Amino acid sequence: MNARCKSEKAVFRVILIKPSHYDKGDRVGWHRHEEGHFEIVLSGRIQFWSKQGELIVKPFQVLFIPPGVEHRWKCLEPGVMIGQIVFIEGR
């Protein structure tokens, strides 16, 4: 799925990434993305960290991570998560 949405200042393009299955203890170390992105947890619980703090995301909760924000995450129990990359055009 590729959706576009216009605002007064920019055009946003959302690319849907397929759901990924994770096991308890799976993790990704500190990293950042040039694009903003949404993390959508469908099942399980995922703990996210950034310089601003930490947060546990539960099923059907959505987390937006702005462009350039360094973060990491760990799967607290088996689950499924969808990542959506958001490209901002015309910035």
Side-chain angles (χ1 to χ4, degrees):
M1 179 177 148
N2 189 341
R4 293 174 76 95
C5 151
K6 293 183 180 182
S7 76
E8 292 180 20
K9 298 182 181 180
V11 174
F12 301 90
R13 187 167 36 116
V14 178
I15 308 294
L16 179 65
I17 308 300
K18 70 177 183 173
S20 297
H21 297 263
Y22 298 100
D23 293 321
K24 181 178 180 177
D26 286 352
R27 64 184 71 215
V28 172
W30 289 105
H31 65 285
R32 70 182 81 213
H33 305 274
E34 289 184 28
E35 306 85 11
H37 66 283
F38 292 95
E39 296 292 356
I40 304 166
V41 175
L42 299 180
S43 63
R45 292 180 307 128
I46 312 287
Q47 187 168 15
F48 287 86
W49 290 267
S50 74
K51 301 290 183 194
Q52 291 78 28
E54 63 183 75
L55 177 69
I56 295 175
V57 182
K58 300 173 185 171
F60 304 105
Q61 292 182 329
V62 177
L63 175 65
F64 178 72
I65 301 172
V69 171
E70 192 173 24
H71 61 283
R72 65 184 176 108
W73 61 262
K74 178 181 177 183
C75 188
L76 300 177
E77 57 190 46
V80 177
M81 183 167 59
I82 297 174
Q84 289 188 334
I85 304 298
V86 179
F87 295 95
I88 301 172
E89 301 169 349
R91 275 201 292 191

